[in-house]
Amino acid sequence: MQNEVVSREKWLEARRALLAKEKEATRLRDSVNAARLALPWVKVDKDYVFETPEGRKSLADLFDGRSQLLIYHFMLGPDWDAGCTGCSFLSDHVDGALPHLNHHDVTWVAVSRAPLDKIAAYKRRMGWKFPWVSSFGSDFNFDYHVSFSPEDLAKDKVFYNFTPMQPADANDELPGLSAFYRNDKGEIFHTYSSYARGPEELIGTLMILDRAPKGRNEDSTMNFVRRHDEYEEAAEAPSCCH
C-alpha cells in the first residue's frame, strides 16, 4: 500500500504539521527525563554476589571505580540454549557506546542467571565486548522482578513492570534495565528501573527504522528481529521481548 502522493507544497504543509508534533514529543521527552532524574532513591542494603570472569564480585565491585552503574537484565536463564532475541538486538547497540559511557562516569554491565560458561559462550558467538556477569545462586534477579521461579509462575499474579500480571503473560526470565549510584562513602542506591518496552530508546536500529518509509513494518512488537547471525536462516518465532 502506498501513501497519498501530493504536490511539494502540500507535502511541506503536512511536514510542518508533523514537525510541530515532533517538537512537542521532544519537549515531553525532556520533561520525562527531568522527572526521571528527580525520582527518589532507595538504599541497597542487601549484599549481592556475582560470578564474573575475574572471580566473585559484589554489586559495589561492578561499578568498576565509577559512581554510576547501569545493569541490563539480559534474558538468559540457567537452562536456556541461547539469549533472548530481543535482548540480543538491544545488546548489539552497546559496545560502541561503552567508551562514551565510561568517560561520563557510567559503567554498563549485563546480568543474567545463566552460569558464567553459558554466558561466555553466547557472548563469543555474538562477538560482544561489554561486561556480562552471572547472578546464578543470588536473589538479585528475583528482587528486581526480572526472574520468576516455577512457584512464582504458579501463583495467580506475578509482579513485573510495577504491575501485577497474569503468569500466562510472563516467563521465567523477562527484560529490564536498572540504574544504581554509589556515593563517596560507598553507599549504593537504586535510582531507576525500566521494563518491557521501557528501554526501547536504547535500540538505535528502531529509531532509524521509525524514519524509514515503511517504519518498523512489524506485525507485533519486534517480530521481524533475529539474532544478527541468523538473518540468512529460516524465520524463527517472534521475539520473546514483547
Side-chain angles (χ1 to χ4, degrees):
M1 181 178 177
Q2 181 175 295
N3 289 22
E4 180 185 7
V5 177
V6 298
S7 67
R8 173 61 60 176
E9 290 75 17
K10 282 191 171 294
W11 180 89
L12 187 58
E13 179 182 350
R15 181 63 187 91
R16 284 174 174 155
L18 176 60
L19 179 61
K21 290 183 177 292
E22 289 177 334
K23 289 183 176 181
E24 181 182 354
T26 297
R27 289 190 291 268
L28 178 58
R29 186 178 67 238
D30 291 342
S31 175
V32 170
N33 287 341
R36 184 184 295 117
L37 292 176
L39 274 176
W41 296 354
V42 177
K43 188 176 180 181
V44 180
D45 291 318
K46 195 167 185 177
D47 293 327
Y48 295 105
V49 177
F50 303 87
E51 300 292 338
T52 85
E54 296 79 33
R56 291 164 67 84
K57 290 187 177 182
S58 67
L59 182 62
D61 293 330
L62 297 187
F63 282 78
D64 197 23
R66 301 180 182 91
S67 70
Q68 301 167 87
L69 173 66
L70 291 175
I71 287 183
Y72 184 65
H73 304 287
F74 193 113
M75 295 170 64
L76 180 56
D79 57 350
W80 289 33
D81 294 326
C84 161
T85 308
C87 292
S88 300
F89 186 38
L90 184 149
S91 296
D92 281 337
H93 299 76
V94 173
D95 280 349
L98 289 180
H100 306 286
L101 293 174
N102 293 346
H103 182 73
H104 209 55
D105 193 33
V106 176
T107 296
W108 174 283
V109 178
V111 173
S112 300
R113 281 204 314 122
L116 200 58
D117 59 346
K118 184 168 288 190
I119 289 174
Y122 189 64
K123 185 177 177 181
R124 283 195 302 271
R125 171 185 164 183
M126 294 289 101
W128 295 326
K129 304 298 183 184
F130 57 80
W132 191 354
V133 304
S134 172
S135 62
F136 186 73
S138 157
D139 293 333
F140 183 78
N141 280 45
F142 298 101
D143 288 350
Y144 287 89
H145 306 289
V146 290
S147 293
F148 304 93
S149 68
E151 292 75 21
D152 292 329
L153 296 174
K155 297 176 182 177
D156 292 336
K157 301 282 186 180
V158 296
F159 190 77
Y160 178 68
N161 201 17
F162 314 107
T163 307
M165 65 185 294
Q166 296 291 335
D169 297 325
N171 196 27
D172 58 336
E173 306 290 336
L174 288 173
L177 178 75
S178 292
F180 301 88
Y181 177 76
R182 186 169 185 256
N183 65 19
D184 292 338
K185 295 190 292 184
E187 298 171 314
I188 296 175
F189 303 89
H190 175 216
T191 67
Y192 176 76
S193 282
S194 181
Y195 303 100
R197 291 184 63 185
E200 187 174 274
E201 288 186 341
L202 278 63
I203 306 177
T205 300
L206 293 181
M207 305 302 110
I208 295 171
L209 286 174
D210 286 342
R211 276 76 178 169
K214 291 185 178 181
R216 301 185 187 186
N217 196 26
E218 58 190 8
D219 299 319
S220 59
T221 303
M222 295 200 304
N223 75 315
F224 64 93
V225 174
R226 305 288 179 267
R227 298 178 184 89
H228 62 240
D229 62 354
E230 294 177 338
Y231 277 109
E232 299 305 317
E233 299 179 7
E236 298 179 1
S239 166
C240 45
C241 293
H242 293 299

